[in-house]
Amino acid sequence: MAIHFKQMTIIGVGLIGGSLGMIVRRERLAETVVGVGRRIDNLKTAVEVGAIDRYVSDPRDGVRDADLVILATPVDTYEQHLTQWGNLLQPQAIVSDVGSVKGNLVIQAENRLPALIRFVGAHPIAGKEKTGVAAGSVTLFQGARCIVTPTPRTDPEALRMITELWERTGSTVLSMDPFLHDRILGAVSHLPHVAAFSLVNALAEVRDRLAPDLDLRLHSGGGLRDTTRIAASSPEMWRDICLWNRDNLVQLIEVYERHLRHLKELIRSGDGPGLEKELEQAKMVREQLNGQPA
Amino acid sequence: MAIHFKQMTIIGVGLIGGSLGMIVRRERLAETVVGVGRRIDNLKTAVEVGAIDRYVSDPRDGVRDADLVILATPVDTYEQHLTQWGNLLQPQAIVSDVGSVKGNLVIQAENRLPALIRFVGAHPIAGKEKTGVAAGSVTLFQGARCIVTPTPRTDPEALRMITELWERTGSTVLSMDPFLHDRILGAVSHLPHVAAFSLVNALAEVRDRLAPDLDLRLHSGGGLRDTTRIAASSPEMWRDICLWNRDNLVQLIEVYERHLRHLKELIRSGDGPGLEKELEQAKMVREQLNGQPA
């Protein structure tokens, strides 16, 4: 049976929430899409670009009649939100999210919500270089992946509906334990971001010490731009991701520090064969990443 | 007066040397272009794709009649080459190169060559993901930058000619001290490579420990691919770059390690405001890199 919701309410109508709203409206997956947010300007834009049918500014008014609520605000606000309006939800309503961390956040959401409310954690992995609903698009999730993170407490029917919702956006949906999600995303996404943030800040320091007037742009080829592109990601969002995935990330950074120190020692001691071996391994691993998943 | 050489000899006819040969032949900047290399197959390909007019396998035969010799072999071979055939060159012949490190390498070349031979260090900064003369192209250097690195011993006329040669390839030519070149390229190119090599090797370790069967490709979005793309660069070439720029690179890695450790401590201690400040700075610096040079 195809999914159909009476009212989907999106809390936080930005790039991700807004793009999902556009798709749900176009595909008629819900009778009404309601947006909730603090900035009226933004909500008006959301109506204009077709992301929502209407909006309210008080989330309590927004969720009362919803059978699906999508939390698309910064993950640090979840607790406050769920505490504020969790008790107003209809029995059997589904609450889902789009946050980049899961683990404890999913457990917290489950604990905050009344027993008859069904929570399903979800993480659509979509490009986030642009922000805001005006940059939203019905194609944002096409060909992307979305990870859903059920727990033993997750209602199977709600999981099926959220899975289908994200499949209808054109994403491939994977299911995994929320804590495994954080370990994997910590490695393939959070650690590379920390590496890029640190690299850019180190380069700024070197520039300021070496030659403040020097324009690094003159000398930076494609390599530097690619390597550091993700360093321009949202500071607020990444602050929250770093803190919510703290334990994994600290461990991962330490593995990275060890490899970096090893390479430094090979360079310092002039160990050509040792260096070449490390670089050959890096090339091999990197080339595996280019292939298609098995 | 436009440049015109009697015979340009390219030692090492790969992607860079071969592409330069194609341009020199098409633009008739030399009467003859001679290739020197160890693999006859490769030299035959070089003739077929129009990179050279003819080839010899003994560099001594190749350089005798040349008024311009381009060293396009790995930088570790320069000394052996210059010792082998430096004395056979015609007086006033120009020797130049395409190496990614300069500094001591330029001084070494100047010291190895007889007094009447004119050395000019050059570093065309071109994409090096593909290799081999078959991937060569007359457009490889278009819009790229080439750095020439004169010293007090550099002949001004030879510098002018090498500058014009690279301008004719479509590159913008910058001139700087060879040691400053290594400090700058160490920061904007060599350090990002070391960061990418280490990151990829750290991820491989994490994958092997976390779940050997796990296919990281399933979970790696564009961010990881971009950040680590340069980790697939040539291990031999990067071994040499790391070793020839050893002192700068060790210093730079230590600056990077310091920034990484600082970020780790902010994460470990849960310092949200401190973390956000670091990420905001990274975003600001990174966005400067996107702009056009002043």
Side-chain angles (χ1 to χ4, degrees):
Chain A
M1 199 187 67
I3 48 167
H4 185 77
F5 297 97
K6 195 162 48 72
Q7 180 185 318
M8 174 171 88
T9 296
I10 305 167
I11 318 277
V13 191
L15 177 69
I16 303 294
S19 298
L20 180 62
M22 289 175 193
I23 296 164
V24 165
R25 289 186 72 245
R26 194 187 60 169
E27 302 285 316
R28 302 182 193 283
L29 303 180
E31 275 165 50
T32 318
V33 176
V34 176
V36 173
R38 283 173 307 181
R39 290 174 34 235
I40 300 297
D41 275 8
N42 183 62
L43 292 168
K44 283 183 177 164
T45 304
V47 172
E48 279 161 23
V49 300
I52 55 176
D53 292 298
R54 59 184 179 84
Y55 59 83
V56 294
S57 52
D58 188 332
R60 288 170 293 197
D61 299 332
V63 305
R64 243 182 273 267
D65 299 317
D67 48 354
L68 173 61
V69 176
I70 303 288
L71 261 174
T73 52
V75 294
D76 245 17
T77 67
Y78 286 13
E79 181 159 27
Q80 192 191 330
H81 269 291
L82 299 177
T83 305
Q84 188 190 15
W85 46 254
N87 288 317
L88 305 175
L89 293 164
Q90 300 174 38
Q92 301 301 319
I94 299 173
V95 176
S96 188
D97 80 320
V98 299
S100 302
V101 277
K102 292 280 158 288
N104 288 320
L105 201 69
V106 169
I107 305 306
Q108 180 202 67
E110 288 179 340
N111 289 339
R112 275 281 165 276
L113 287 167
L116 288 176
I117 305 304
R118 304 181 287 174
F119 183 81
V120 180
H123 174 201
I125 306 179
K128 282 160 194 148
E129 277 178 273
K130 293 180 188 171
T131 56
V133 68
S137 153
V138 291
T139 61
L140 183 68
F141 307 111
Q142 254 168 32
R145 294 189 179 89
C146 178
I147 302 178
V148 291
T149 57
T151 72
R153 291 165 70 180
T154 303
D155 177 77
E157 179 64 9
L159 176 63
R160 189 192 68 74
M161 289 197 278
I162 294 300
T163 299
E164 190 181 327
L165 174 67
W166 284 105
E167 282 171 353
R168 293 292 288 270
T169 70
S171 288
T172 301
V173 180
L174 308 170
S175 175
M176 75 177 71
D177 176 87
F179 292 94
L180 180 61
H181 167 279
D182 286 2
R183 287 204 298 279
I184 291 177
L185 271 286
V188 301
S189 170
H190 309 170
L191 177 62
H193 274 80
V194 165
F197 296 137
S198 302
L199 181 59
V200 163
N201 284 344
L203 289 181
E205 179 187 328
V206 169
R207 177 194 55 192
D208 295 347
R209 281 199 300 168
L210 194 72
D213 294 338
L214 197 69
D215 194 335
L216 289 178
R217 289 170 296 183
L218 273 174
H219 308 290
S220 66
L224 180 65
R225 284 192 199 175
D226 285 356
T227 311
T228 60
R229 185 179 58 79
I230 55 178
S233 305
S234 157
E236 300 75 19
M237 179 175 147
W238 280 92
R239 174 200 62 201
D240 291 347
I241 290 172
C242 289
L243 295 180
W244 277 93
N245 202 17
R246 187 189 309 192
D247 293 346
N248 287 315
L249 198 44
V250 166
Q251 274 192 5
L252 288 161
I253 294 171
E254 284 176 350
V255 175
Y256 181 44
E257 284 179 312
R258 193 153 34 70
H259 282 269
L260 196 57
R261 192 161 55 239
H262 180 54
L263 218 48
K264 181 181 71 175
E265 291 312 325
L266 293 170
I267 294 169
R268 194 204 301 272
S269 64
D271 182 349
L275 204 46
E276 192 175 346
K277 193 175 140 241
E278 287 295 308
L279 307 193
E280 264 166 10
Q281 202 214 318
K283 183 180 173 68
M284 193 189 69
V285 175
R286 178 59 185 78
E287 282 172 351
Q288 288 167 2
L289 273 186
N290 261 343
Q292 287 303 306
Chain B
M1 199 187 70
I3 49 167
H4 186 77
F5 297 97
K6 195 162 48 70
Q7 181 185 315
M8 174 170 88
T9 295
I10 305 166
I11 317 278
V13 191
L15 177 68
I16 303 292
S19 297
L20 181 62
M22 289 176 193
I23 295 164
V24 165
R25 289 186 72 245
R26 194 187 60 168
E27 303 285 316
R28 301 181 195 282
L29 303 180
E31 275 165 51
T32 317
V33 177
V34 176
V36 173
R38 283 174 307 181
R39 289 172 36 235
I40 300 297
D41 274 9
N42 183 62
L43 294 168
K44 283 183 177 163
T45 304
V47 172
E48 280 161 22
V49 300
I52 54 176
D53 293 297
R54 60 185 179 84
Y55 60 83
V56 295
S57 51
D58 188 332
R60 287 169 294 197
D61 298 331
V63 304
R64 245 182 272 267
D65 299 318
D67 47 355
L68 173 62
V69 177
I70 303 288
L71 262 172
T73 52
V75 293
D76 245 17
T77 67
Y78 285 13
E79 181 159 28
Q80 192 190 330
H81 269 292
L82 298 178
T83 305
Q84 188 189 13
W85 46 255
N87 287 316
L88 305 175
L89 293 165
Q90 299 175 38
Q92 301 301 319
I94 298 174
V95 176
S96 189
D97 80 319
V98 299
S100 302
V101 276
K102 292 280 157 287
N104 288 319
L105 201 69
V106 169
I107 304 306
Q108 180 202 67
E110 288 180 339
N111 289 338
R112 276 281 164 278
L113 287 167
L116 289 177
I117 305 304
R118 303 181 289 174
F119 183 81
V120 180
H123 174 203
I125 306 178
K128 281 160 194 148
E129 276 178 274
K130 294 180 187 170
T131 55
V133 69
S137 152
V138 291
T139 62
L140 183 68
F141 307 111
Q142 255 169 31
R145 295 189 178 89
C146 178
I147 302 178
V148 292
T149 57
T151 72
R153 291 164 69 180
T154 303
D155 177 77
E157 179 64 9
L159 176 63
R160 189 191 68 74
M161 288 196 280
I162 295 300
T163 299
E164 190 181 326
L165 174 67
W166 285 105
E167 282 170 354
R168 293 292 290 271
T169 69
S171 288
T172 301
V173 180
L174 309 170
S175 176
M176 75 177 70
D177 176 87
F179 291 94
L180 179 61
H181 167 279
D182 286 1
R183 287 205 297 281
I184 292 177
L185 271 287
V188 300
S189 169
H190 309 171
L191 176 62
H193 274 80
V194 165
F197 295 137
S198 302
L199 181 59
V200 164
N201 284 344
L203 289 181
E205 179 187 328
V206 169
R207 177 194 56 191
D208 295 346
R209 281 199 300 168
L210 194 71
D213 293 338
L214 196 69
D215 194 335
L216 288 179
R217 289 170 295 183
L218 273 174
H219 308 290
S220 66
L224 181 65
R225 284 191 200 175
D226 284 356
T227 310
T228 60
R229 184 179 57 80
I230 55 177
S233 305
S234 158
E236 300 75 19
M237 179 174 147
W238 279 92
R239 175 200 61 201
D240 291 346
I241 291 172
C242 289
L243 295 180
W244 277 93
N245 201 18
R246 187 190 308 194
D247 294 346
N248 287 315
L249 198 43
V250 167
Q251 274 193 3
L252 288 161
I253 293 171
E254 286 176 349
V255 175
Y256 180 44
E257 283 179 313
R258 193 153 35 71
H259 282 268
L260 196 57
R261 193 161 54 239
H262 180 54
L263 218 49
K264 181 181 69 176
E265 291 312 326
L266 293 171
I267 294 169
R268 194 204 300 273
S269 65
D271 182 349
L275 205 45
E276 193 176 346
K277 192 174 141 240
E278 287 296 307
L279 306 193
E280 265 166 10
Q281 202 213 319
K283 184 180 173 67
M284 194 190 68
V285 175
R286 178 58 185 80
E287 283 174 350
Q288 288 168 1
L289 273 186
N290 261 343
Q292 288 302 306

